[in-house]
Every structure is written in C-alpha cells, then in structure tokens.
Amino acid sequence: MDPTAPKESQRHPRPSHQQLLSRCNYFVSCQLWPVHTELDPERWLSNFTEEEAEHAFYLLNAFLYFSHRLVNRLFVSSVHSLSQHIVYDAKTLADAEHKWRAFLDTTYFVPVTGEIPQVTDSGHLFARMTRDSLGIPEDRIVSAVDALYELFANPTMPLVFIDDFVGSGNQFVQTWTREYTIPGSPFKASFASVLSNGHPTNVYYCPVLCTLTGLRNIQQSCRPVTVSPAHLLGDEYNVYLPADNSVIWPGKLKSTAVAFLESACDRAGIPPGCRRGFHNLGLAVAFAHGVPDATVDLFTWNKNGWKPLIQLQ
C-alpha cells in the first residue's frame, strides 16, 4: 500500500445534509449551477428514504454539472492541448507561436452531429465557441460534408472535430465511416476512405468530456485520429461500478451501492433496461445545454411522483 495515498475518509469525506446543500447553494451563487427551478438538490433528495440517505448524499456529492462558462473554458483547453502535437519540435518560443498560429490559420473545424443534424445539436453551440473564443473565421467552421470536400482535394489539411461529450464513441465512428456525396461530383466518400491511402494525417478530435470506453472505440476504429479531451472519464465515474478507485462510493457503501440504485429505480418506476445510462456507462454528468444519455435516469426521471434533480431540456 502506498503510504502517501489519501486515506478512504480523505477521498470520500462524509457530507452532512446541511453541508451538502450549502455547497450546492454556493455553486448556485457562483453561477456554476443554475437556479433551483432548473436544478434542485433538496427536492431530489426528498425522493429517498431515511435508510437511503447516506447513499443519496454521496451520489449527489459526485454529480458533475458543467455551466456554459465552464464548458467554454474546457473546450478551449482541449483545443489548446493540441499544441503538444503541433509545436513539439519548435526551437524557440517565437517558433512555437508561429507554428501554432499557422495551424489555427489553416485548420477546418467540424462540429460532430448526428446523421440528421438537428437545431438542438450541441454542434451549433460549439461552432459559436470556436468562432468567439478561438477567433476562427466562420468560413473555416464547416459541416462534415464540406470538410470532406476540402480533405478530398488536400488529404494533409489539418482538421479538428469538436464536440461536448463522447460516450460509447459510436457517433464519431459513424461520422468517420459514413459515406457522403462530394459536392459538385457524383462520387461518394468517407473520411475513412479518403485517409486510407497512406497520406500523413493531421486530424484531431476535441471533446470536452470523453469516456475511456469511447476513447478506446475511436482509437481502434478511427486510427488516424488523435483524440484530445479536456477530461477523461474512466470506470471510476460509473455509479454502477463501485470499484476500489471509485470517485462515487466510499468503501463502506460499495457493497450496497448497486442494491440502493436498483431499489430507488424500482420505486421510481424506471424500466430495468433504462437504468444504467447508454452503453451502461452509468455517469452522473450534466451540461447547461443538456444531459448526456450516458447519465443514469435517477437524476432526470420525472414520472410516478419522482422529483428530478435536473430538468431535461
């Protein structure tokens, strides 16, 4: 055992009811959390019995909410982290700054969307952040099909995909392998096919949050792509996997955590197949602009008298 490692009580301090609600109210006052009409921890805690209270406190204590401001800063950090790949061979600070500026001036940015883009897609939000926070001209913030057209003409062109969240990674893999009709031609092509001819690639993917499951899926299925998330979520963030390194459950609650979750879901009337989040990722995560489908339904469920922590938009 590492004597310098934090003790269990230090990694999982026992939050009292009042301390937890005071912290939540502080987050609201700092505008890290929205007002209680949108996210109400006290209302949500009232769903649980006295015997479930300690589990519920730890589950709420582990809940991660990302405000618009925080999402913006993490997104910028994710893109800026690409500099380690771009300026690694720079000899001077001036050389590094020149290489980084040249990269930004020649790169196309592509919001990742579903197969049928929707008005509510987070890609629109990230397109605005790319323009406003990174200073990228609008004519270089393009759709997947327009990016593919540019890549078809110049396979070594730098390309950065942007997104809020990667869960299973399937959505990006589909974007990567889907065939698009090249504008102005009868041909169809995919990013995978265009970049399969051995050209050196400069393709990156910058999500704000990425699960370890999604990262591995993309690395295996989209090998030329360098994934650079602002934050990586491993199994320790899965509320249904009370492993030794869990950031959710302390040691004394690990053996009963799953039973607590199942009991609460039974009472709320959540169907068994909808309890663990998409791909069984079991997350406790929400953004100001929406809740990933990998987040467990206990936080958003509003049927059978169950009071949600956060209202789905």
Side-chain angles (χ1 to χ4, degrees), residues 19-40:
Q19 286 173 333
L20 189 54
L21 292 179
S22 295
R23 191 190 73 161
C24 295
N25 288 329
Y26 175 73
F27 288 164
V28 173
S29 68
C30 293
Q31 298 182 11
L32 291 173
W33 281 19
V35 295
H36 289 328
T37 54
E38 298 177 38
L39 195 157
D40 192 334

Side-chain angles (χ1 to χ4, degrees), residues 144-165:
V145 65
D146 288 337
L148 189 60
Y149 174 78
E150 298 292 340
L151 201 63
F152 197 72
N154 178 14
T156 62
M157 177 193 72
L159 196 64
V160 174
F161 290 90
I162 53 178
D163 207 352
D164 58 348
F165 176 76

Side-chain angles (χ1 to χ4, degrees), residues 224-240:
V225 180
T226 297
V227 185
S228 178
H231 192 54
L232 187 64
L233 304 175
D235 287 344
E236 67 271 20
Y237 288 91
N238 190 323
V239 304
Y240 273 91

Side-chain angles (χ1 to χ4, degrees), residues 204-226:
Y204 308 91
Y205 186 18
C206 291
V208 170
L209 300 182
C210 180
T211 69
L212 187 58
T213 297
L215 175 64
R216 288 170 174 166
N217 188 13
I218 293 169
Q219 288 178 331
Q220 180 177 2
S221 304
C222 315
R223 292 190 182 278
V225 180
T226 297

Side-chain angles (χ1 to χ4, degrees), residues 22-212:
S22 295
R23 191 190 73 161
C24 295
N25 288 329
Y26 175 73
F27 288 164
V28 173
S29 68
C30 293
Q31 298 182 11
L32 291 173
W33 281 19
V35 295
H36 289 328
T37 54
E38 298 177 38
L39 195 157
D40 192 334
E42 191 161 14
R43 175 187 61 188
W44 184 75
L45 285 173
S46 71
N47 292 307
F48 301 95
T49 67
E50 184 176 347
E51 292 74 22
E52 295 171 328
E54 189 166 21
H55 286 84
F57 290 163
Y58 275 102
L59 189 57
L60 177 60
N61 193 51
F63 182 75
L64 300 174
Y65 178 85
F66 295 86
S67 66
H68 287 303
R69 183 189 307 172
L70 187 54
V71 168
N72 182 73
R73 296 315 306 162
L74 288 171
F75 167 65
V76 171
S77 173
S78 175
V79 175
H80 282 175
S81 70
L82 295 180
S83 62
Q84 63 184 306
H85 305 285
I86 307 303
V87 305
Y88 67 93
D89 59 347
K91 298 298 188 292
T92 65
L93 177 60
D95 187 27
E97 291 175 343
H98 174 75
K99 287 178 179 291
W100 179 243
R101 189 68 257 171
F103 172 76
L104 291 181
D105 288 344
T106 57
T107 297
Y108 282 83
F109 288 76
V110 187
V112 175
T113 62
E115 184 172 2
I116 302 176
Q118 304 291 329
V119 174
T120 55
D121 280 342
S122 61
H124 300 284
L125 170 65
F126 280 77
R128 290 194 298 274
M129 285 194 292
T130 301
R131 178 195 64 193
D132 298 339
S133 299
L134 293 174
I136 304 300
E138 289 191 6
D139 62 357
R140 283 194 287 106
I141 306 170
V142 299
S143 67
V145 65
D146 288 337
L148 189 60
Y149 174 78
E150 298 292 340
L151 201 63
F152 197 72
N154 178 14
T156 62
M157 177 193 72
L159 196 64
V160 174
F161 290 90
I162 53 178
D163 207 352
D164 58 348
F165 176 76
V166 175
S168 67
N170 290 343
Q171 184 172 340
F172 183 79
V173 173
Q174 291 167 3
T175 297
W176 187 253
T177 57
R178 184 183 302 129
E179 288 194 334
Y180 301 86
T181 299
I182 303 299
S185 80
F187 302 110
K188 285 189 173 183
S190 66
F191 290 100
S193 64
V194 170
L195 295 174
S196 64
N197 53 11
H199 287 292
T201 58
N202 298 283
V203 182
Y204 308 91
Y205 186 18
C206 291
V208 170
L209 300 182
C210 180
T211 69
L212 187 58

